[in-house]
Amino acid sequence: MGKAKVIGVLGIWGFVLALVVVPVWAATETGATREFEIVVQQYSYSPNVIRVNQGDRVKITLYSIDVMHGLAIDDYPVALQSWVGKTDSVEFVADQAGKFRMRCTVVCGAMHPFLVGELIVTPYATFPISLALTLAVALGTVGLMAWPGAANSADLSRRLRLRLTHIGWVQSLVKNRWTQSTLIWLSLFFFVLILLAAFLGSPVGNANFAIIYVWIVWWGALNFLLIPIGGRLWCVMCPIPIPGRWLDHLSIVRKGRAGTASLGRKLWPQRFRNIWLQNIAFLSVALFSAIIMTRPLATGIVLAGFLVVAFMTAWIYGQRVFCRYICPVSGFIGTYSMVSPVAVRVQDAQVCLTGKDQACLLGCETGSDCPWTEHPGSQTCNAYHGISSACFKRSAKENIALTIRPFGLDLFVVNGRGLDEVYHVFIMLTCAILYSAVYLGSWGWLKDLANIATISGFLLYAVVFLLANLVLLPGLFYVAVWLGKGLAEGKLPPLREAFAFIGIVIQQMVAFRRRQPLPNSAKMPNIPLATSGLPSTQRLFGDYSYALIPLGVAAWLGFTISLVSVNFHDAIRLLSNPFGWGWDLFGTAQYPWILYAPRLIPSLQAAVVLFGLAVSISAAYRIAIHHTSDRRQVLRSLTPPFIIMVAITVLVLRLIL
Amino acid sequence: MRKLVEIVGVLVVLLGLPVAVYAYEFVYLPAQRADVITVVMRTPSNGNLTPMVIRVKKGDLVRLRLTSEDVSHGFRIKELDINVYPIEPGKFTTVEFVAEEAGTFDYFCNIVCSTRHAEMRGQLIVEE
C-alpha cells in the first residue's frame, strides 16, 4: 500500500472520528435558566426547534392561538395544554442530552398526529454520530465487497434453498382450498369493518378504525413483516380483488369454472403491460396522502375505488389484471419484495416449457389458471407475480414450490428489467424521503402545503413533489452513473448522454410504449464477464437503480417505525371503539397515550437504514461486477452512485431520527 | 353442503357485520340509555353543534353525552352553573343535572374553536 493511500485512509477515518468527538467537546457551560414561549397553532409550534444545554433549567410556556393543543416531550415529564386565553407552563431540568420531539397530545384537527417540534439538549450527538456511522458503513461495505474472494462466498449463498412446499404438512396446507379462503375471509371481515368505519364512523382520524387500522396497523405490518420477510404474502390475502375473483370463477371457495371464464374476455392492452399505471397510481395516492391518511372518508373512497376498479377490470379482462398492472400497493410490494427470501419458484423451468407439466399453463384438476397471468416457467422475480395457492394446486409434480432463499436475490435477475420499474424504484425512494419530511419534520408550512390549506400552495407542492419524484432524484442518479462511467473509462461520455434519459422517459410516459426490457446479457450476474466492459450509460443507469431497492425498503421501514410507535396506542383503543361512537367492547376504550420505547426507537431506525445502505452498496457492487471483472473500474464507476446513496442515507437519518 | 357453508360464510361477513353494527349502535345501545341525549360539538363551518334545541320537562334528570367531531370544545350553561371542558374529539363526557327551573337557557362552547366560535350556541328549553 502506497504512502498516499495510507494517509488517505487515515484521513477519512480521522474525519469520521472528528464528526463524533467535536460536538461532544463543543458543549458549553451549563446550569443557566432558559425560558421559552412557544406559540402553537394548526399545525406547528413556533419556535419549532428549541436548543438548551444539558443541565439547564428550562421553562416552557405554551400559548395556543387557534384551538386547544397540548405539548408533551418524549422522555421528559412535560404535559401542557393550552387554548385561547389559557396558557400553561412547566419547569424542568434538561438532564438528558439528545433530540426529543415535542408532540401535541390533544386532537386538534386532521393533521394532529403530525404536529411536532424539537427540543435539542446539547451535547447533541445523534446526527453527527449517524453521519459518521453512515460513512463508516459505506466505506466498510465497499472494502468488504472489493476484498478478493468476497464474490465467491456470495456465490455459495445463492445456492441455499429451502423448499417449503416439499415439507409434508406445508404442502397439504397450501394445497388445501380452505387455507387461502380462511385468510381471505379474515381480511374481508376487517375490510368490511374498515369501509363501515370510513363511511359511517367518526370523522376524527384518531378515533376511526379505518384510519388507524389501514395506515398504522396494516401499513406497519406490510413494512415490518409482510414485505421484507413474506415478500408477496399480502397478495395471498388481499380482499380487494376478491369480488372480481368470485365473478371470474362463479364460485367462492371451490375452483368453479376457472380457465374457461376468461376466454371470452378482452386482452389487457399491450401498451399498458408495464407498471407505468402503477407508478401513476402510487404518485397520485402519495400526492394526496395528507388527506387520505387523516380523513376516514378519503380513505374509504380510495379503498372503495380500488374495489370498483378491481371488479370492473376483472369483469372486462378477467383475472387479477388490477393487481398486476394498476394497484399501487401491489407495485410497492412487487418491487420491494425483491429483497424478500420467500418466493414462488418453478423448480425446473424445462419441465414447464416442454409441456411435461401441463398444469403450468392451463390449470389442472385441482387448481385454477394463474391469477397473475404469468407463465410459471418464467417466474424469476417477485416483481411480476403474487403468491397464490393456485400455483401449488395445479402443479401435479410439485414442480412449483414455495421457496426460501437468501435475502435480495431477485435484485440480480436481469430478465424483465425496464424503465417503468426503474422509475418505480425512484418514485418510492423519493416518497419515503418526502413523507419523512412532511410527517416527521417540525415544519408546519410543509404540512399546510400537503394538507391543501390553500389551493395555490398545494399546486406548488404538487409541482415540486412530481419534479422531485420524476426528475430530480432519477436525474441526479443518472448524472452520477454518467460521471462514474466517465471515471471508470478515463473519459466522459458525451454531455448530451447525461440528459438523454429525459427524452426517453417522456417518450415512455406519453406513448405508453410496450416496455422494452433491457438486453439480457448474462444469466448469472455474479459470474464476471471479463471482456464486455461497461455498457451504455442508459443500461448502466437501469441496472444500478435496482441497487437502490434495499435502501428504499429501509427508508420506508425507518419512517414507519416512527409512525407506528407514536400512534399504535390508538389501535388498542379503537379495538373497543372502532367507529368513535363511544363503544367499549373489550374495555380498552380508555387506553392511554403511550410512546413505546422512545430511547430505543432512534437506534433501531438508524440500524435499519444503515443496514439498507450496506445491502444497497453490496448489491450495486455485485450488479456492476457482472459487467466487468476489473475491480478498479467497478469501484470507479460506482463512486458517484455511492455518494448519492450516502447522501440519501444521511438525509433520511436527519429526517427520521 | 360445502356450497351452503361458503354462501353462509360470505353472507355473515358481507351482510351480518353491517347488520350487527347497526343493531348494536341504533337499536341495542339507545334502548340501554333511553333518556340520554347525545350532543355532538362541531365548529359552525363543520355543521355546528347538534341538537340545537333540547326540550326537557321541569324536574327531569337531564343526562347529556358530549363529544366532538373536529377540535376540542367546551359546554357551558351559565344560569345552571354547568361548565364542562375540554370536550376532546372522539372522547365522550357525560354530564347530569336536574332541571329545577322552567325557562330557556343558552348552552354554548366556551373554548375558542374557530373564528366563528361565538356562533356555537343552542337552547335548552325546560317546560313546565
Side-chain angles (χ1 to χ4, degrees), chain A residues 66-68 83-84 106-108 178 185 189 192-193 196 203-204 207 246 252-254 579-583 585, chain B residues 2-3 6 9-10 13-14 17-18 21 24-25 29 65 68-72 85-86 88-90 92 111-113:
Chain A
D66 47 22
V67 303
M68 178 176 172
W83 55 88
V84 175
V106 179
V107 177
C108 59
W178 292 90
W185 279 5
F189 174 86
V192 173
L193 192 61
L196 283 174
V204 180
W246 288 340
I252 291 161
V253 175
R254 283 174 304 170
F579 300 92
W581 287 336
W583 295 6
L585 295 176
Chain B
R2 272 180 74 166
K3 187 117 195 162
E6 292 163 13
V10 169
V13 173
L14 291 189
L17 182 60
V21 167
Y24 189 70
E25 171 68 14
L29 285 181
R65 215 168 138 252
S68 160
E69 284 193 348
D70 44 27
V71 298
S72 296
Y85 64 87
E88 291 183 34
F92 287 78
I111 287 186
V112 176
C113 59

Side-chain angles (χ1 to χ4, degrees), chain A residues 343-359:
Chain A
V344 176
R345 286 294 178 275
V346 67
Q347 297 306 306
D348 183 355
Q350 286 309 313
V351 175
C352 259
L353 294 172
T354 55
K356 279 180 198 154
D357 190 353
Q358 291 256 319

Side-chain angles (χ1 to χ4, degrees), chain A residues 28 49 63 65 73 83 88 91 97 101 152 191 201 240 252 283 293 347 382 397 435 448 577 593 608 620 623 657:
Chain A
T28 48
V49 181
Y63 295 86
I65 56 169
I73 299 180
W83 55 88
D88 201 358
E91 262 189 76
R101 282 203 166 73
N152 295 340
F191 191 67
I240 287 173
I252 291 161
L283 271 180
M293 277 168 60
Q347 297 306 306
N382 271 352
K397 300 187 178 79
Y435 272 46
D448 281 348
N577 185 15
W593 195 95
V608 164
I623 289 171
L657 290 185

Side-chain angles (χ1 to χ4, degrees), chain A residues 177 255 258 362-369 389-391 393-395:
Chain A
R177 272 212 165 267
K255 189 186 143 218
L362 298 171
C364 64
E365 235 175 281
T366 51
S368 44
D369 52 348
S389 55
C391 284
K393 284 167 202 148
R394 68 195 167 149
S395 181

Side-chain angles (χ1 to χ4, degrees), chain A residues 127-205:
Chain A
F127 184 63
I129 288 177
S130 63
L131 193 59
L133 280 176
T134 306
L135 289 173
V137 165
L139 294 171
T141 315
V142 172
L144 268 182
M145 290 310 292
W147 202 264
N152 295 340
S153 64
D155 252 354
L156 194 70
S157 78
R158 80 176 45 238
R159 286 191 213 107
L160 294 172
R161 285 281 188 286
L162 176 62
R163 291 175 183 87
L164 275 185
T165 35
H166 287 197
I167 303 168
W169 64 270
V170 179
Q171 193 186 84
S172 47
L173 194 69
V174 296
K175 285 212 173 189
N176 190 329
R177 272 212 165 267
W178 292 90
T179 310
Q180 193 174 2
S181 296
T182 309
L183 285 176
I184 287 170
W185 279 5
L186 210 62
S187 68
L188 205 59
F189 174 86
F190 282 103
F191 191 67
V192 173
L193 192 61
I194 282 165
L195 284 182
L196 283 174
F199 286 106
L200 303 175
S202 165
V204 180

